[in-house]
């Protein structure tokens, strides 16, 4: 993969194309952002890694009120070229973060699942939309972590660590990325785009599989829509 990042306009064009394919609705680049119908847009956030295959993406529900309607996330892709890595990153984002955000707009269960505030597998006190859980890696057990994440809901485990740390009472985006192999592993919980150290450490202590051969990773995203305890 090349060391040079793609120009923003190229990345935005790629995001627009993938969004159009995923939603079957037109998205287009204008004024430095990818616009959908109404007030919805996707903009590139300030990259915090410098890696050419890494993207910071901000989904804005209302471009006239970005401060309290923006859901931030970041994602990294892989591939033989920078274009392949960026395209893979966009697809990973769409399959996890995007599915939760599209479900917020559609509210019909077609993109992601809903958990009520009192659901055993949900986040206590919050209505949650759980995006897709995607996995990748190498070797025979490359989907082991993804399967574990499906069978072992993360929200009840994250709630005691995260519940009192939110800075607003609506639209909280939680990204979980974790996995590895015999000699390497990574765990990351980000809340509205910012790494949460305590939650990331908690995730590292869980008993998700570490394959003896090859690598296995999983990524998911949950949107806490509103606090129902206030």
């Amino acid at each position: 993969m090349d060391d040079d990042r793609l120009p923003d306009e190229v990345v935005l064009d790629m995001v627009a194309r993938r969004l159009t394919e995923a939603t079957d609705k037109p998205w287009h680049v204008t004024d430095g952002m990818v616009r959908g119908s109404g007030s919805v847009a996707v903009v590139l956030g300030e990259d915090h890694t410098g890696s050419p295959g890494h993207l910071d993406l901000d989904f804005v529900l209302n471009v006239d009120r970005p401060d309290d309607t923006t859901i931030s996330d970041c994602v990294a892709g892989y591939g033989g070229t920078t274009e392949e890595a960026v395209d893979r990153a966009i697809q990973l984002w769409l399959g996890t973060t995007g599915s939760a955000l599209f479900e917020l707009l559609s509210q019909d269960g077609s993109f992601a699942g809903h958990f009520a505030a009192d659901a055993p597998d949900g986040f206590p006190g919050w209505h949650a939309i759980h995006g897709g859980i995607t996995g990748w890696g190498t070797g025979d057990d490359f989907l082991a972590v993804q399967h574990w994440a499906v069978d072992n809901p993360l929200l009840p485990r994250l709630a005691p660590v995260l519940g009192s740390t939110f800075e607003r009472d609506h639209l909280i985006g939680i990204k979980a990325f974790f996995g590895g192999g015999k000699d390497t592993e990574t765990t990351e919980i980000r809340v509205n785009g910012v790494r949460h150290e305590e939650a990331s450490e908690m995730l590292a202590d869980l008993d998700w599989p570490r394959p003896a051969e090859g690598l296995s990773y999983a990524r998911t995203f949950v949107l806490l829509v509103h606090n129902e305890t206030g």
Side-chain angles (χ1 to χ4, degrees), residues 12 15 19 27 32-34 40-47 55-61 63 66 69-75 93 97 101 192-194:
L12 290 172
V15 171
L19 279 167
W27 293 72
M33 63 182 68
V34 182
V40 177
V42 176
V43 299
L44 296 180
E46 183 177 352
D47 180 70
L55 298 176
D56 285 80
L57 297 171
D58 293 340
F59 192 95
V60 186
L61 290 167
V63 294
T69 65
T70 295
I71 298 97
S72 299
D73 192 20
C74 64
V75 62
W93 180 83
T97 310
L101 297 170
N192 286 345
V194 178

Side-chain angles (χ1 to χ4, degrees), residues 156-188:
R157 302 174 187 227
L158 290 172
V161 180
L162 296 180
S164 62
T165 66
F166 302 143
E167 296 181 353
R168 61 189 188 191
D169 59 2
H170 64 287
L171 298 180
I172 306 296
I174 302 172
K175 187 270 288 289
F177 165 59
F178 60 109
K182 181 179 180 181
D183 299 317
T184 181
E185 69 179 56
T186 183
T187 57
E188 182 179 62

Side-chain angles (χ1 to χ4, degrees), residues 20-220:
T20 299
E21 293 173 354
T23 63
D24 200 28
K25 296 179 181 179
W27 293 72
H28 58 278
V29 180
T30 182
D31 297 329
M33 63 182 68
V34 182
R35 293 296 302 266
S37 59
S39 62
V40 177
V42 176
V43 299
L44 296 180
E46 183 177 352
D47 180 70
H48 62 273
T49 71
S51 170
H54 180 274
L55 298 176
D56 285 80
L57 297 171
D58 293 340
F59 192 95
V60 186
L61 290 167
N62 188 338
V63 294
D64 296 321
R65 294 171 47 218
D67 289 346
D68 60 355
T69 65
T70 295
I71 298 97
S72 299
D73 192 20
C74 64
V75 62
Y78 54 88
T81 66
T82 300
E83 288 81 1
E84 290 176 354
V86 169
D87 189 54
R88 178 60 177 165
I90 295 168
Q91 292 184 68
L92 286 171
W93 180 83
L94 285 171
T96 52
T97 310
S99 63
L101 297 170
F102 300 152
E103 180 59 29
L104 177 66
L105 298 176
S106 67
Q107 294 289 320
D108 61 5
S110 58
F111 290 101
H114 291 256
F115 288 93
D118 58 353
D121 292 342
F123 198 103
W126 289 75
H127 181 89
I129 298 177
H130 203 307
I133 302 172
T134 190
W136 68 96
T138 62
D140 293 340
D141 295 327
F142 75 100
L143 292 180
V145 177
Q146 179 192 30
H147 292 160
W148 181 93
V150 171
D151 294 335
N152 296 270
L154 285 177
L155 287 182
R157 302 174 187 227
L158 290 172
V161 180
L162 296 180
S164 62
T165 66
F166 302 143
E167 296 181 353
R168 61 189 188 191
D169 59 2
H170 64 287
L171 298 180
I172 306 296
I174 302 172
K175 187 270 288 289
F177 165 59
F178 60 109
K182 181 179 180 181
D183 299 317
T184 181
E185 69 179 56
T186 183
T187 57
E188 182 179 62
I189 299 293
R190 285 186 176 268
V191 178
N192 286 345
V194 178
R195 180 178 173 89
H196 194 289
E197 291 297 339
E198 186 178 358
S200 298
E201 292 173 4
M202 182 277 295
L203 182 58
D205 291 336
L206 297 181
D207 61 349
W208 45 269
R210 281 77 167 174
E213 302 292 337
L215 300 169
S216 180
Y217 294 94
R219 185 187 200 276
T220 191

